[in-house]
Amino acid sequence: GAVVSQHPSRVICKSGTSVKIECRSLDFQATTMFWYRQFPKQSLMLMATSNEGSKATYEQGVEKDKFLINHASLTLSTLTVTSAHPEDSSFYICSALGQGGAARNEKLFFGSGTQLSVL
Amino acid sequence: GDSVTQMEGPVTLSEEAFLTINCTYTATGYPSLFWYVQYPGEGLQLLLKATKADDKGSNKGFEATYRKETTSFHLEKGSVQVSDSAVYFCARAGTGFQKLVFGTGTRLLVSP
């Protein structure tokens, strides 16, 4: 079946540094990818929607200058957490949309997530 | 706004026990409802879904019924196995048909 590869799975970094997370669709093309994050004991929250070749759409309250999203090809989207701080420590997960929409959801595939810890 | 509430875990059961994981959602209209499962080291996978009221989604022995009167979509399995140990996420379709609204996830631990 379709696979979404996300890496790294875990990253620890110092405060003030930038971290890049990659999300690749391995055997299908994804014109749309979604980035979520989950703080401890909270829900997975949508951060942004990434469309290939265009600017990402960010959810309310998500800083677009801090969380840079690049979707330069049909198989790769990256999320860069710039100048990371301890409050950015969270679980980040991507998903890729194949044909059809999440309302039917057979075509929505998730990566395994990245646990970011900022010291 | 749209939200999904599911029971806190972890849920710890012995093999062959009956499982229920509760999930309720806020209702604006009749959104499609989903259960996803995440096994260790893997991505979330769709477990089952229901697209309208009274629909029952089922897969791998798991079932959930779309109850509009109680705005619930509880996950059940009659006899769990050790291999069912995972994190289970309840979700509803959000605004914009491509977006999902998730619950917090419930970790299930099944012991032999």
Side-chain angles (χ1 to χ4, degrees):
Chain A
V3 174
V4 172
S5 173
Q6 181 177 345
H7 71 92
S9 59
R10 183 176 294 271
V11 57
I12 300 172
C13 68
K14 292 182 179 180
S15 185
T17 61
S18 294
V19 174
K20 180 185 283 188
I21 302 170
E22 291 190 350
C23 181
R24 293 180 184 272
S25 56
L26 295 187
D27 50 6
F28 67 101
Q29 293 184 332
T31 55
T32 302
M33 292 188 178
F34 302 94
W35 288 95
Y36 292 83
R37 67 180 168 186
Q38 184 179 27
F39 294 108
K41 298 195 175 184
Q42 296 185 26
S43 304
L44 269 172
M45 298 295 292
L46 180 66
M47 298 176 65
T49 302
S50 163
N51 292 295
E52 186 266 335
S54 62
K55 290 183 178 180
T57 303
Y58 291 81
E59 296 299 302
Q60 191 173 7
V62 178
E63 299 173 59
K64 63 180 181 181
D65 295 330
K66 181 169 184 64
F67 298 99
L68 301 179
I69 292 173
N70 185 299
H71 193 161
S73 78
L74 287 171
T75 59
L76 174 64
S77 177
T78 61
L79 169 68
T80 301
V81 183
T82 62
S83 187
H85 291 285
E87 58 265 29
D88 299 322
S89 299
S90 184
F91 181 71
Y92 294 84
I93 194 165
C94 69
S95 66
L97 186 66
Q99 290 184 356
R104 296 199 305 273
N105 92 4
E106 298 93 333
K107 302 299 183 182
L108 191 64
F109 305 100
F110 284 81
S112 55
T114 298
Q115 184 64 52
L116 171 63
S117 299
V118 184
L119 305 179
Chain B
D2 298 339
S3 66
V4 172
T5 303
Q6 61 182 106
M7 59 193 293
E8 256 189 72
V11 174
T12 305
L13 296 172
S14 297
E15 204 164 25
E16 299 184 1
F18 184 85
L19 167 71
T20 300
I21 300 178
N22 291 336
C23 172
T24 56
Y25 61 92
T26 57
T28 50
Y30 300 100
S32 294
L33 302 173
F34 313 93
W35 276 100
Y36 279 83
V37 58
Q38 185 176 27
Y39 299 103
E42 300 183 17
L44 275 70
Q45 304 171 25
L46 175 64
L47 180 61
L48 53 84
K49 65 178 182 181
T51 57
K52 60 183 188 296
D54 300 325
D55 262 4
K56 177 185 283 188
S58 61
N59 186 24
K60 299 181 181 179
F62 291 89
E63 292 183 342
T65 301
Y66 192 139
R67 303 279 189 204
K68 67 176 182 179
E69 60 277 6
T70 54
T71 62
S72 64
F73 193 54
H74 304 323
L75 182 69
E76 297 182 335
K77 186 174 185 181
S79 176
V80 293
Q81 306 299 311
V82 172
S83 57
D84 293 327
S85 298
V87 181
Y88 292 82
F89 291 88
C90 185
R92 57 159 284 172
T95 53
F97 74 101
Q98 295 177 333
K99 298 180 181 179
L100 294 177
V101 178
F102 285 91
T104 55
T106 301
R107 183 175 297 278
L108 171 65
L109 301 170
V110 181
S111 56

